[in-house]
């Protein structure tokens, strides 16, 4: 019985010893590199338990046969400044790792991948293969590396059983940067690995691909920003356009800040300002405005409170300096909450028959989905290919502004189509109205032509009748022996002829309501001179421009000129003296005119007795009052008659 117990105890102890030796051997094993560890051509040395660290500096530590068993187990991969004990960090130190590799894997390795904001010298199997920045024990002489978009460094590994990678590393400012930027600060440590041909091809075009990605984002967002700014300037009262313009501007700023290393080399202090604080804050502000912009765009007032979500973006920025909550959990919660809010707003908008709301839905929800994918990829929760990562990045920035622009374009397109239809309908109505007006105009024109013809016929007949009267007066005058009666008959005959000439001019003129006075006066003067046979002895000079007057004014003026000209012929030049008569009609202002008749005859004294019957003088006074005129007479040097009058009111109407 005792022997059996000892056998069992011996068996248990043996198993325990074998298990522990196996475990110890397992911990003693070096990491092994194989083909399956490559991810898109990159094999990162993320072997947490195998990295050794030693503060200080000694080039002997680069030797592969150096014993580092008493070094600290400290992983440099993504090492934060606060994770490094102050007692172990004076600004520089060494990391070492030893590993084995399949010959096939060694053959695939073409490049060395390194990412850090410090300075480093990389030793492989005791040989210096490359440097990043300028390592120095003195912070003043240190030049840190800026991990821009340059390709991975060429590297060739010779096949052997065990390889040793040693990193001589310095990052003097890491602790100070952490005190300033807290969780915005860059890592104190570094990432390092090997890449094959697949990664090498990507690495060589990393700058070009990143620049092309940023160019697409910047070009699209700049165009959209310009369009939204123009819309806001055009429609200042529309608040949604202002908010959408701000969102587009924030997204554009965030995209440029995220890719700032394409243009300038930054260090561990300046990069957190652009790539961290400004990038995160700008995108957070733009993203937090999404629900509010939708509620404004569709005028859903119960969701106007979403404008206060902007405070969450500022809270997230503050959390980098004073860590209160977990970023991944916070981002996921906010993103999902925003997605739910936007879906609810979209459903409300669709129920209220806001056409085109689906375009905005795809843009807004799409931005949230792409943001969630981006955050999960950065947190290494999911893995994306390079192409998908760049595509996700582009869609992340442009989905919402582009969706809004498509929506606005669609809305204005509908408006323009409706306006075109309204214009077409109105045009058809106008065509009908124009056709009716044309027909009416043609009818009126025909009627007007008939009236014109009728008026010309009337004037022609009046003129003929006046000629008949004038002829009768001439016949009657021929049978009268009394000279005084003959003179009276001649004066009457001239008066009738003056009216006959006027009617002749009217039916010969294109304008039946107006007569050109200069030509009328010329014909009138010729007729009067002929009737008295004074063509050679007396000269009449008509000094005036062409002037048209209405019939109501022209008839009295013609009779007045007839009387005054007859008086001059009869009394101004006795005993066969030759003489000169001046006649003019001037437009003094808009409706004010002046008729002037003067001669260089003998004149008369103010108290002289009137010659003749005085009927002519009475007729002139009567006609002057008819046209509301004022007669002025000057007989001191010959005879001067001025009659000032205004255009008749009837003609104005």
């Amino acid at each position: 019985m005792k022997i059996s117990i000892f056998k069992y105890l011996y068996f248990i102890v043996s198993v325990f010893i074998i298990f522990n030796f196996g475990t110890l051997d397992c911990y003693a094993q070096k990491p092994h590199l194989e083909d399956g560890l490559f991810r898109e051509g990159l094999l990162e040395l993320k072997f947490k338990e195998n990295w050794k660290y030693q503060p200080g500096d000694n080039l002997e530590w680069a030797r592969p046969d150096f014993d580092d068993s008493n070094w600290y187990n400290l992983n440099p991969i993504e090492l934060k400044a606060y994770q490094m004990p102050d007692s172990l960090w004076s600004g520089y130190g060494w990391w070492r790792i030893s590993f084995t590799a399949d010959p096939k894997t060694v053959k695939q390795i073409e490049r060395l991948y390194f990412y850090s904001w410090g300075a480093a010298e990389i030793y492989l199997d005791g040989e210096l293969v490359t440097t990043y920045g300028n390592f120095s024990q003195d912070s003043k002489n240190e030049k840190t590396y800026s991990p821009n978009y340059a390709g991975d460094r060429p590297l060739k590994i010779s096949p052997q059983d065990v390889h040793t990678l040693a990193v001589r590393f310095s990052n003097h400012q890491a602790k100070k940067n952490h005190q300033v930027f807290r969780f915005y600060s860059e890592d104190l440590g570094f990432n390092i690995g090997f890449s094959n041909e697949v990664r090498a091809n990507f690495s060589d075009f990393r700058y070009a691909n990143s620049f092309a990605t940023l160019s697409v984002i910047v070009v699209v967002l700049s165009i959209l920003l310009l369009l939204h700014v123009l819309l806001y300037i055009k429609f200042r009262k529309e608040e949604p356009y202002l908010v959408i313009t701000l969102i587009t501007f924030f997204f554009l700023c965030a995209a440029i800040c995220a890719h700032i290393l394409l243009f300038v080399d930054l260090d561990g202090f300046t990069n957190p300002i652009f790539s961290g604080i400004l990038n995160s804050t700008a995108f957070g502000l733009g993203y937090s405005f999404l629900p509010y912009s939708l509620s404004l765009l569709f005028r859903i007032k119960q969701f106007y409170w979403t404008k206060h979500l902007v405070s969450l973006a500022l809270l997230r920025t503050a959390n980098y300096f004073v860590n209160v909550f977990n970023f991944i959990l916070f981002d996921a919660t906010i993103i999902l909450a925003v997605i739910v809010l936007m879906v609810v707003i979209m459903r409300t908008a669709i129920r209220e028959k806001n056409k085109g709301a689906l375009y905005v839905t795809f843009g807004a929800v799409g931005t949230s989905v792409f943001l969630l994918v981006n955050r999960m990829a950065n947190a290494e929760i999911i893995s994306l290919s390079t192409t998908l990562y760049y595509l996700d990045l582009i869609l992340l920035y442009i989905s919402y502004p582009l969706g809004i622009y498509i929506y606005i374009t669609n809305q204005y397109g509908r408006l323009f189509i409706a306006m075109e239809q309204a214009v077409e309908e109105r045009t058809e109505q106008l065509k009908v109205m124009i056709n009716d007006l044309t027909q009416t105009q043609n009818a009126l024109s025909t009627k007007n032509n008939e009236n014109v013809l009728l008026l010309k016929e009337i004037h022609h007949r009046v003129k003929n009748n006046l000629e008949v009267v004038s002829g009768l007066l001439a016949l009657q005058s021929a049978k009268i022996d009394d000279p005084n009666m003959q003179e009276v008959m001649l004066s009457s005959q001239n008066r009738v002829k003056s009216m006959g000439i006027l009617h002749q001019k009217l039916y010969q003129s294109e304008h039946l309501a107006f007569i050109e006075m200069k030509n009328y006066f010329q014909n009138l003067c010729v007729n009067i001179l002929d009737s008295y046979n004074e063509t050679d002895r007396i000269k009449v000079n008509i000094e005036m421009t062409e002037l048209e007057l209405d019939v109501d004014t022209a008839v009295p003026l013609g009779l007045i000129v007839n009387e005054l000209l007859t008086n001059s012929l009869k009394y101004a030049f006795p005993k066969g003296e030759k003489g000169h008569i001046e006649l003019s009609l001037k437009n003094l202002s808009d409706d004010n005119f002046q008729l002037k008749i003067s001669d260089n005859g003998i004149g008369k004294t103010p108290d002289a007795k009137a010659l003749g019957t005085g009927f002519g003088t009475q007729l002139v006074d009567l006609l002057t009052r008819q046209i509301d005129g004022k007669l002025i007479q000057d007989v001191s040097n010959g005879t001067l008659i001025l009659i000032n009058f205004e255009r008749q009111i009837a003609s104005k109407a």
Side-chain angles (χ1 to χ4, degrees):
M1 185 67 179
K2 290 182 180 180
I3 295 174
S4 298
I5 292 173
F6 281 113
K7 286 182 179 181
Y8 283 117
L9 289 174
Y10 176 76
F11 176 74
I12 293 171
V13 171
S14 299
V15 170
F16 178 77
I17 292 173
I18 293 172
F19 175 78
N20 279 278
F21 272 102
T23 305
L24 290 174
D25 183 62
C26 178
Y27 280 110
Q29 286 183 355
K30 298 175 176 57
H32 183 70
L33 307 186
E34 57 185 18
D35 186 58
L37 296 178
F38 282 101
R39 295 290 181 271
E40 293 193 14
L42 177 63
L43 192 160
E44 294 185 84
L45 300 178
K46 293 184 177 182
F47 303 104
K48 298 180 180 180
E49 303 297 331
N50 300 99
W51 279 99
K52 299 290 187 177
Y53 169 74
Q54 181 65 26
D57 182 37
N58 189 339
L59 288 177
E60 291 294 320
W61 296 346
R63 290 169 40 205
D65 58 350
F66 181 80
D67 183 14
D68 58 11
S69 59
N70 61 340
W71 283 22
Y72 298 96
N73 286 321
L74 187 60
N75 181 24
I77 307 301
E78 299 177 356
L79 178 65
K80 306 294 183 183
Y82 68 89
Q83 295 173 333
M84 170 65 81
D86 293 339
S87 59
L88 299 180
W89 187 253
S90 58
Y92 57 93
W94 282 70
W95 270 276
R96 287 169 53 98
I97 188 172
S98 297
F99 58 90
T100 60
D102 291 335
K104 181 181 178 181
T105 303
V106 171
K107 188 176 181 180
Q108 289 187 54
I109 295 174
E110 295 184 359
R111 305 285 181 95
L112 175 67
Y113 162 76
F114 183 79
Y115 182 92
S116 175
W117 292 93
E121 296 176 357
I122 310 299
Y123 295 85
L124 180 62
D125 298 329
E127 298 292 331
L128 177 65
V129 293
T130 188
T131 61
Y132 295 89
N134 182 29
F135 169 87
S136 177
Q137 297 180 13
D138 186 356
S139 61
K140 296 180 180 179
N141 296 326
E142 177 192 50
K143 183 180 179 182
T144 56
Y145 173 66
S146 179
N148 51 27
Y149 292 85
D152 296 341
R153 307 280 179 87
L155 177 68
K156 194 65 179 177
I157 301 180
S158 301
Q160 60 186 54
D161 294 336
V162 179
H163 299 275
T164 300
L165 182 70
V167 181
R168 188 188 188 194
F169 186 77
S170 66
N171 193 347
H172 291 276
Q173 297 298 322
K175 289 283 187 179
K176 294 181 179 179
N177 292 342
H178 176 71
Q179 293 175 358
V180 175
F181 298 112
R182 304 295 293 171
F183 289 89
Y184 271 118
S185 62
E186 303 295 346
D187 294 344
L188 179 146
F190 54 84
N191 283 12
I192 193 168
F194 304 115
S195 57
N196 60 18
E197 183 180 5
V198 175
R199 165 78 183 186
N201 292 333
F202 157 75
S203 175
D204 290 340
F205 294 98
R206 187 180 176 208
Y207 181 90
N209 292 337
S210 299
F211 187 81
T213 301
L214 179 62
S215 298
V216 171
I217 295 172
V218 170
V219 168
V220 174
L221 288 182
S222 297
I223 294 173
L224 295 176
L225 179 61
L226 177 62
L227 293 172
H228 291 314
V229 168
L230 292 176
L231 283 173
Y232 173 66
I233 293 174
K234 186 67 176 177
F235 307 101
R236 289 183 179 273
K237 293 183 179 180
E238 295 292 332
E239 190 177 353
Y241 295 141
L242 174 61
V243 178
I244 294 167
T245 301
L246 289 175
I247 292 173
T248 308
F249 174 73
F250 285 139
F251 281 0
L252 179 61
C253 292
I256 294 174
C257 289
H259 297 79
I260 193 67
L261 289 175
L262 287 170
F263 310 103
V264 294
D265 287 335
L266 303 178
D267 56 26
F269 181 83
T270 55
N271 187 66
I273 298 175
F274 291 95
S275 300
I277 298 173
L278 295 179
N279 172 34
S280 176
T281 304
F283 190 87
L285 290 172
Y287 185 73
S288 62
F289 273 125
L290 294 187
Y292 181 54
S293 66
L294 296 180
S295 61
L296 285 175
L297 191 64
F298 300 119
R299 292 178 173 81
I300 305 175
K301 294 184 178 180
Q302 60 264 39
F303 289 100
Y304 281 4
W305 61 267
T306 53
K307 64 183 177 183
H308 300 297
L309 290 178
V310 69
S311 59
L312 295 178
L314 302 177
L315 179 63
R316 186 180 186 278
T317 301
N319 190 62
Y320 277 95
F321 298 96
V322 181
N323 190 17
V324 177
F325 45 79
N326 181 274
F327 278 103
I328 297 177
L329 182 61
F330 179 81
D331 287 349
T333 303
I334 295 303
I335 292 170
L336 292 174
V338 170
I339 290 176
V340 171
L341 272 174
M342 289 190 293
V343 169
V344 173
I345 294 173
M346 289 298 104
R347 287 190 62 187
T348 305
I350 293 171
R351 281 200 304 268
E352 294 180 0
K353 296 182 179 180
N354 278 297
K355 295 181 179 180
L358 287 177
Y359 296 115
V360 186
T361 303
F362 290 135
V365 177
T367 296
S368 299
V369 172
F370 297 132
L371 176 61
L372 188 61
V373 170
N374 180 268
R375 290 292 183 265
M376 293 173 68
N378 291 339
E380 299 184 354
I381 298 174
I382 61 174
S383 178
L384 293 177
S385 65
T386 303
T387 302
L388 288 178
Y389 180 80
Y390 283 131
L391 181 61
D392 176 77
L393 198 61
I394 293 173
L395 294 175
L396 166 63
Y397 284 105
I398 72 172
S399 292
Y400 182 71
L402 186 60
I404 287 289
Y405 178 70
I406 293 173
Y407 167 76
I408 294 174
T409 305
N410 179 69
Q411 292 298 99
Y412 281 110
R414 292 175 182 272
L415 178 61
F416 291 149
I417 291 173
M419 290 175 64
E420 277 189 6
Q421 292 175 348
V423 169
E424 289 177 359
E425 293 175 359
R426 186 60 178 165
T427 302
E428 291 299 322
Q429 294 175 0
L430 289 174
K431 285 181 179 178
V432 173
M433 292 176 62
I434 291 172
N435 185 48
D436 293 341
L437 289 173
T438 302
Q439 293 178 0
T440 304
Q441 183 182 14
N442 292 335
L444 291 174
S445 178
T446 303
K447 189 68 175 176
N448 183 62
N449 292 335
E450 294 175 355
N451 292 335
V452 168
L453 184 61
L454 180 60
L455 283 173
K456 286 187 176 183
E457 180 64 22
I458 291 172
H459 286 302
H460 184 64
R461 292 190 179 187
V462 170
K463 176 255 182 186
N464 289 340
N465 291 334
L466 290 173
E467 284 185 350
V468 170
V469 173
S470 177
L472 291 173
L473 291 173
L475 289 173
Q476 187 67 36
S477 177
K479 296 180 179 181
I480 297 175
D481 296 329
D482 185 356
N484 292 329
M485 288 300 297
Q486 286 181 347
E487 186 177 338
V488 170
M489 295 298 288
L490 182 59
S491 297
S492 299
Q493 187 179 353
N494 286 337
R495 293 179 188 118
V496 172
K497 283 185 177 180
S498 71
M499 291 185 289
I501 293 171
L502 186 142
H503 284 282
Q504 181 182 358
K505 294 297 180 184
L506 283 174
Y507 79 73
Q508 291 176 348
S509 173
E510 294 182 357
H511 305 290
L512 298 177
F514 296 89
I515 186 169
E516 202 282 300
M517 298 303 294
K518 182 177 181 180
N519 184 261
Y520 172 54
F521 285 158
Q522 288 173 344
N523 291 335
L524 182 61
C525 291
V526 169
N527 178 72
I528 296 172
L529 290 173
D530 285 341
S531 65
Y532 284 95
N533 295 318
E534 299 289 358
T535 305
D536 296 329
R537 189 171 69 91
I538 307 299
K539 300 297 182 183
V540 178
N541 184 30
I542 301 175
E543 291 291 338
M544 60 180 289
T545 58
E546 293 185 354
L547 183 66
E548 288 188 345
L549 285 179
D550 59 280
V551 176
D552 293 338
T553 306
V555 171
L557 284 180
L559 292 172
I560 290 172
V561 169
N562 177 77
E563 295 300 324
L564 295 176
L565 189 59
T566 299
N567 284 343
S568 293
L569 292 175
K570 289 167 61 178
Y571 307 116
F573 309 103
K575 301 178 182 179
E577 295 179 2
K578 292 184 177 182
H580 187 78
I581 300 174
E582 296 285 342
L583 172 62
S584 66
L585 178 63
K586 296 181 181 180
N587 185 194
L588 301 179
S589 59
D590 292 339
D591 293 324
N592 295 311
F593 298 86
Q594 184 183 74
L595 176 66
K596 176 183 177 182
I597 298 178
S598 64
D599 60 52
N600 59 351
I602 60 173
K604 67 175 182 177
T605 58
D607 55 350
K609 185 178 179 181
L611 300 176
T613 62
F615 176 75
T617 302
Q618 294 176 4
L619 183 59
V620 169
D621 291 337
L622 179 64
L623 293 172
T624 301
R625 287 197 298 271
Q626 182 179 337
I627 60 174
D628 294 329
K630 182 179 180 182
L631 190 146
I632 302 173
Q633 180 176 260
D634 182 7
V635 294
S636 60
N637 184 19
T639 301
L640 171 65
I641 303 295
L642 297 176
I643 298 177
N644 296 319
F645 64 95
E646 294 183 0
R647 193 187 300 271
Q648 297 301 294
I649 298 176
S651 67
K652 293 179 185 180

